[in-house]
Amino acid sequence: MTTTETAVSKKEQLKGKTLSELKEWFLANSEPSFRGEQVFNWMYNHLAEDYSEMLNISKDLRKKLDEKTILNTLRITDKKVSSSEGTVKLLLKTAQDNLIECVIIPEEKRCTLCISSQVGCPLDCKFCATGIMGYKRNLTPGEIFDQYAIAQRNYDRAISNIVYMGMGEPLLNFKNTVKSLEIFAEELTTGISLKKVTVSTAGIAPKIKELADTGLKPKLALSLHSCFEEIRSKIMPINDKYSLSETIKSVFYYAEKTGTRITFEYVMLKDINDRIEDADALVKLCRRIPSKVNIIPFNSLQHINPKGISAELIPTSKKEIEKFANYLRDKNITVMVRDTQGSDIAAACGQLAITQTA
Ligand code: SAH
């Protein structure tokens, strides 16, 4: 670590604190608790970049805050815009010079931001570029929120939806993910409601239950990819730790407890999970639980020269994907086939791997 980094990390991060934590923080610093509400408003609604913007706070206090705390946890180091659909990939740097990415996906009726929860990912899913780059650390709640703040400040349309589908496994960074959700859920936060937030997980069974028990009720997406234990274990090593049957039980619990509909994400891999028996098993599962299926065309990992099984994975053709989707639709299952937005700038699902050294 350089001396500058040490100096930076000694300052406290105010961003990432919930409303009650901010109120307590100001009380502990001999200030009235309503200052916590004011700063909450500036950080999470006005997305202030600098304490000097916080005009209802005295100059002296702003100076003190500036000396003691950090307001911005991330900075933009690169921005790529997809030529076809306007997808924007932001490359962001933390105070310790870790690199992460977030992606803005504009559509006609909504504008979705895909955010990261960890630097890298420990899960090693065979079809995912982030897994291949390995795991560095959990993001703080402030760093999770700041992706939204930075993206919104640098984009002219309002971001309407947030998906925790960037780098990392949000439920392995449980505490910080929940804190970031608490901030979005807070009544005082006007920009985003949890009805528009989706947490995507590879299936950390006990944490799915714990998330249900928080009472926060974000939408839950399970990266399913196969209804068969053996196949799922082959492409997702986490399945050896939390079997599909255990994970599905947690997902049932989540749907029941929160009253929400589950999204099953399904990356189409030729001859691995796109056969008729795969479709039949998916139908059977979806009939047992309020859910929809989100079919994702497999995005090539060729840009990072994959090894082993990863190098052997082939995308199911567009025609076969449509056939698979229609087979499910004929059985009254709700199915979406996702666009591969941003594939020209490696911003599509599973392509978020940093090629520069962090
Ligand atoms: N760890 C979380 C969130 C990150 S991945 C999870 O596993 O859900 C977000 C989604 O992109 C997941 O459904 C993931 O399985 C999918 N994905 C990963 N790599 C992909 C690829 N190469 N092509 C298409 N989708 C991919």
Side-chain angles (χ1 to χ4, degrees):
M1 232 188 211
T2 66
T3 22
T4 2
E5 281 161 13
T6 319
V8 167
S9 56
K10 269 192 192 146
K11 286 191 175 186
E12 200 170 350
Q13 265 180 37
L14 276 198
K15 202 172 281 155
K17 288 191 191 295
T18 60
L19 183 59
S20 56
E21 286 174 336
L22 280 172
K23 286 180 176 173
E24 275 165 34
W25 190 89
F26 278 94
L27 281 176
N29 282 276
S30 317
E31 293 288 338
S33 72
F34 74 84
R35 293 278 178 230
E37 224 166 274
Q38 289 176 320
V39 169
F40 183 98
N41 217 353
W42 283 112
M43 282 197 303
Y44 302 133
N45 288 324
H46 296 289
L47 310 178
E49 258 181 297
D50 200 289
Y51 286 115
S52 63
E53 293 172 46
M54 303 187 181
L55 292 176
N56 55 0
I57 292 172
S58 74
K59 241 184 172 170
D60 280 355
L61 180 55
R62 280 188 258 147
K63 193 166 165 252
K64 202 165 118 190
L65 289 174
D66 203 24
E67 282 162 8
K68 276 179 97 165
T69 67
I70 329 166
L71 187 56
N72 298 308
T73 66
L74 302 170
R75 55 197 190 279
I76 298 184
T77 64
D78 191 26
K79 179 175 174 177
K80 285 198 171 73
V81 182
S82 157
S83 51
S84 45
E85 325 89 345
T87 300
V88 179
K89 177 163 94 168
L90 298 176
L91 185 63
L92 307 169
K93 219 177 218 185
T94 69
Q96 300 79 25
D97 284 348
N98 297 123
L99 287 168
I100 56 164
E101 290 171 324
C102 70
V103 182
I104 305 168
I105 308 151
E107 287 170 295
E108 200 186 321
K109 291 204 175 105
R110 60 183 176 186
C111 182
T112 304
L113 176 70
C114 177
I115 58 173
S116 299
S117 54
Q118 297 181 313
V119 183
C121 183
L123 290 181
D124 194 27
C125 297
K126 300 303 172 193
F127 45 81
C128 180
T130 311
I132 291 166
M133 82 174 251
Y135 167 76
K136 295 219 172 81
R137 71 167 173 90
N138 282 330
L139 291 178
T140 64
E143 288 164 341
I144 297 175
F145 185 89
D146 248 350
Q147 294 171 68
Y148 166 64
I150 286 200
Q152 188 59 89
R153 279 200 308 258
N154 287 278
Y155 200 66
D156 50 7
R157 255 181 82 183
I159 289 165
S160 58
N161 295 61
I162 292 185
V163 294
Y164 286 64
M165 291 184 191
M167 289 181 156
E169 168 52 50
L171 298 190
L172 287 181
N173 183 12
F174 190 80
K175 218 173 92 222
N176 295 350
T177 294
V178 165
K179 235 183 213 186
S180 65
L181 293 170
E182 276 169 8
I183 293 166
F184 287 124
E186 179 58 58
E187 231 173 88
L188 271 182
T189 318
T190 52
I192 297 270
S193 104
L194 279 199
K195 287 196 182 107
K196 305 276 183 185
V197 174
T198 302
V199 174
S200 179
T201 178
I204 314 298
K207 295 294 177 189
I208 292 174
K209 281 194 172 160
E210 223 179 302
L211 185 62
D213 291 339
T214 61
L216 285 166
K217 303 186 187 171
K219 287 193 186 152
L220 184 76
L222 175 71
S223 292
L224 178 67
H225 310 321
S226 173
C227 296
F228 299 107
E229 299 278 4
E230 216 175 290
I231 299 174
R232 198 166 186 267
S233 284
K234 210 165 131 186
I235 52 175
M236 301 175 74
I238 190 69
N239 199 65
D240 292 335
K241 184 154 187 199
Y242 304 112
S243 68
L244 184 57
S245 73
E246 188 187 350
T247 301
I248 293 296
K249 273 188 207 143
S250 303
V251 167
F252 267 102
Y253 180 86
Y254 193 89
E256 208 158 77
K257 183 121 193 194
T258 61
T260 56
R261 193 152 80 137
I262 304 296
T263 300
F264 291 120
E265 291 169 277
Y266 203 88
V267 172
M268 296 293 288
L269 301 167
K270 188 171 157 36
D271 299 334
I272 292 180
N273 64 2
D274 62 354
R275 306 154 309 160
I276 191 85
E277 55 263 51
D278 296 304
D280 284 333
L282 201 45
V283 170
K284 224 167 130 188
L285 173 63
C286 290
R287 284 191 176 150
R288 290 164 57 210
I289 187 165
S291 56
K292 60 178 181 190
V293 177
N294 200 346
I295 289 182
I296 314 172
F298 171 51
N299 294 309
S300 158
L301 303 180
Q302 293 315 315
H303 65 295
I304 51 157
N305 294 321
K307 309 252 154 27
I309 289 196
S310 305
E312 291 163 27
L313 301 175
I314 301 169
T316 302
S317 71
K318 219 172 164 183
K319 201 168 137 219
E320 288 299 315
I321 290 180
E322 261 325 297
K323 233 165 98 183
F324 191 92
N326 285 334
Y327 185 88
L328 300 180
R329 286 185 188 120
D330 284 347
K331 306 238 177 320
N332 290 325
I333 306 298
T334 310
V335 183
M336 292 258 309
V337 178
R338 202 189 286 173
D339 292 342
T340 48
Q341 280 211 12
S343 50
D344 59 330
I345 53 166
C349 284
Q351 291 192 314
L352 300 182
I354 310 285
T355 38
Q356 285 145 280
T357 41

